[in-house]
Amino acid sequence: MNVYTGEVEQANIYLSGSRIAYVGPKELPVSVHTQLVELERGHIVVPGYIEPHAHPCQMYNPYTWGEALLRKGTVLSINDNLSLLTFLGTEALPFIEKLEETSHHMFLWWCNIDRPDRVNPLTVEKWLQHHLVIQSGELTEWPKLLQNDEVLVEQLYLTKTHHRMRAEGHLPGVSYEKISTMAAAGITADHEALHAEDVLKRLKAGLYASLRYSSIRPDLPHILKGMKGDSRFNMNRMMLTSDGPSPNYVEKTSCASMIKICLETGIPVADAYRLATLNPAVYYGLEEDLGGIAPGRLACLNVLTSIHEPEPLHVLQRGEWAVRNQRRVMEPDEAEIRTWLRSAFPSRRTIVNLRLDQMETRTNTGIELVNDVITQPYPFDPHAELETDENWITLLDANGSWVINTRIKGFASGVKALASTYNASNDTLLLGRSLSAMREASQEMGLRGEGILVNFVDGEQLYIPLPLSGAMSMESVESIGASVDQFNEKMRSHGYRFGDPLYSLLFLTASHLPHIRVSDKGLYLIKTGETLISATPLVNTVRKVK
């Protein structure tokens, strides 16, 4: 598959080390040291796929995430660094260097510049100077640019002019005028288009548009349908992304799966493959190394049984077979990998034995789920019993210093108690119909280890261990995906009415989605920044550091 001309042609490909030396019709002289590989008739060679926007810590860890991608032909991913900064602080950079040495999958990174609560300017500068860092973003706090926030304006200016990097936005539901303002400020791409008209807004403003197919936002088929037959949609300015899917959706949202959807929707073959190869390579300035099959490029190749079946039979990564007949050629030393991951992501959580009086609510405003991740405030009587669709909710600081209590509406009616260390702030989230049961679940998880522990009102229990910083598993993506399927099934049977309960847990403490959240700021409104109730300091509480 020649992505430069759009042709499927017969050719000989000669490799020298990790790179391609020649592609063409001639048969060049070879020596006794040359390995000859003749593909079966009908097999197609395409460039290795590129994931342009990844979140590698979605219960899976970066290493197992890379393994899952490589098995499906994705040879490179460009990844979010915010979770690593949360877990590792200054040790995050040494970790990505070790990951580069250890993993066969190739990782590049972006640098978060808009979260001063997580990242100080000196840390940002070290990341921007690192050879594995290729862009800044994703800019979730973009309203600060509209308010002319001096620190963010300066950071974005340095990214663009001094480091000559791309800068990705996070612009869900944003008007064309605001997208244009972001483009003027230096934003070059966005992945938050929800339909075809959103894609057109981004293209008109000069941005690249990443078309998303993820567990929480499976928009790709709908977007492609809206684009069909409209010549304004320049396919060369688009890419495909899975945007950090839940573990049970990783295979369904692979680059191969997204290309397949494009082909089935009627996207021309060359354009479908360019969306996951040449286009992201050009966008990131990597086209001299990746994105196509041509002399000088890295020998990252996928062998397909048919041009209409994008999932590869074989994967060649930098001149070496990584996958043959859809199986890894060399399985990693699992014991060695586990030892490294445990040392890289230790638990730093302070286990707190809360008293029931410390879980009392001091507000009459709660959090109502509109969907999996969007919330809105609602009033309640703090002296009244819980309604059928209400739960208590407590956020406990990971360091055991403070607590926030309120109610949540629309989560699940059959959860007696849930304790989770899996959330955006990496604190301990407690939910349930019984405060005493929530307290007991927190204590039980302190004994069993970090993760997600749920006790249902009918007596059923489910536990997903997440020993890596309380947020990630050491199991394969396939294994953790099976656990997530079980979790989702039980949550739905006990009253959860949306698509992905993991995303609800994850984003309750995130600061970039509307409209009301909990964090160390307290219970607060996103758009106005108004704090409805501050966190309550914990005193005279039994603590132990795990």
Side-chain angles (χ1 to χ4, degrees), residues 171 173-184 197-207:
L171 308 170
V174 176
S175 68
Y176 173 74
E177 286 69 28
K178 289 181 179 177
I179 290 172
S180 297
T181 303
M182 294 300 101
E197 191 60 34
D198 276 351
V199 174
L200 199 58
K201 290 177 187 176
R202 285 149 179 79
L203 296 181
K204 284 184 174 182
L207 273 62

Side-chain angles (χ1 to χ4, degrees), residues 422-448:
Y422 179 71
N423 54 77
S425 65
N426 203 224
D427 296 307
T428 301
L429 191 65
L430 306 174
L431 283 159
R433 301 280 298 171
S434 165
L435 289 176
S436 59
M438 289 160 58
R439 178 177 180 269
E440 291 168 4
S442 175
Q443 293 172 336
E444 181 179 351
M445 193 170 66
L447 296 173
R448 297 180 69 169

Side-chain angles (χ1 to χ4, degrees), residues 73-147:
T74 300
V75 299
L76 168 71
S77 58
I78 291 85
N79 296 270
D80 181 9
N81 76 328
L82 189 57
S83 292
L84 294 186
L85 290 170
T86 301
F87 303 143
L88 304 180
T90 57
E91 294 302 310
L93 278 175
F95 173 79
I96 69 170
E97 292 169 353
K98 177 69 173 177
L99 182 66
E100 176 71 7
E101 296 173 5
T102 306
S103 176
H104 287 92
H105 176 76
M106 293 186 290
F107 291 84
L108 292 173
W109 299 84
W110 72 70
C111 174
N112 185 282
I113 63 172
D114 64 342
R115 291 296 303 272
D117 57 328
R118 306 271 187 100
V119 192
N120 63 52
L122 290 177
T123 300
V124 168
E125 186 59 25
K126 286 182 179 179
W127 274 81
L128 292 176
Q129 291 177 359
H130 200 277
H131 68 281
L132 294 176
V133 176
I134 200 168
Q135 78 162 356
S136 67
E138 59 184 284
L139 207 67
T140 58
E141 304 289 332
W142 59 267
K144 290 180 180 179
L145 281 181
L146 299 180
Q147 299 159 7

Side-chain angles (χ1 to χ4, degrees), residues 202-271:
R202 285 149 179 79
L203 296 181
K204 284 184 174 182
L207 273 62
Y208 271 68
S210 292
L211 312 183
R212 180 168 53 185
Y213 190 60
S214 191
S215 50
I216 192 68
R217 293 293 329 180
D219 300 310
L220 180 61
H222 174 65
I223 289 174
L224 294 175
K225 184 178 179 180
M227 290 167 40
K228 197 167 185 178
D230 193 331
S231 61
R232 295 175 298 172
F233 291 93
N234 181 354
M235 301 296 292
N236 294 326
R237 304 281 293 183
M238 300 181 204
M239 302 176 281
L240 299 173
T241 182
S242 62
D243 190 20
S246 290
N248 55 329
Y249 275 85
V250 168
E251 183 172 338
K252 301 172 190 174
T253 60
S254 68
C255 284
S257 296
M258 290 188 283
I259 295 170
K260 178 79 168 178
I261 291 171
C262 292
L263 294 171
E264 291 174 343
T265 313
I267 300 298
V269 169
D271 284 335

Side-chain angles (χ1 to χ4, degrees), residues 301-320:
L301 310 174
N302 291 332
V303 180
L304 316 180
T305 58
S306 164
I307 196 65
H308 299 290
E309 296 296 336
E311 185 171 321
L313 181 66
H314 314 307
V315 179
L316 196 73
Q317 177 72 313
R318 289 183 281 196
E320 296 183 358

Side-chain angles (χ1 to χ4, degrees), residues 1 28 31 37 60 70 146-147 152 204 214 223 249 318 331 335 369 386 395 449 476:
M1 176 75 218
L28 305 180
S31 74
V37 178
Y60 36 76
L70 189 58
L146 299 180
Q147 299 159 7
L152 185 53
K204 284 184 174 182
S214 191
I223 289 174
Y249 275 85
R318 289 183 281 196
E331 294 290 346
L369 288 179
L386 289 177
L395 184 66
S476 67

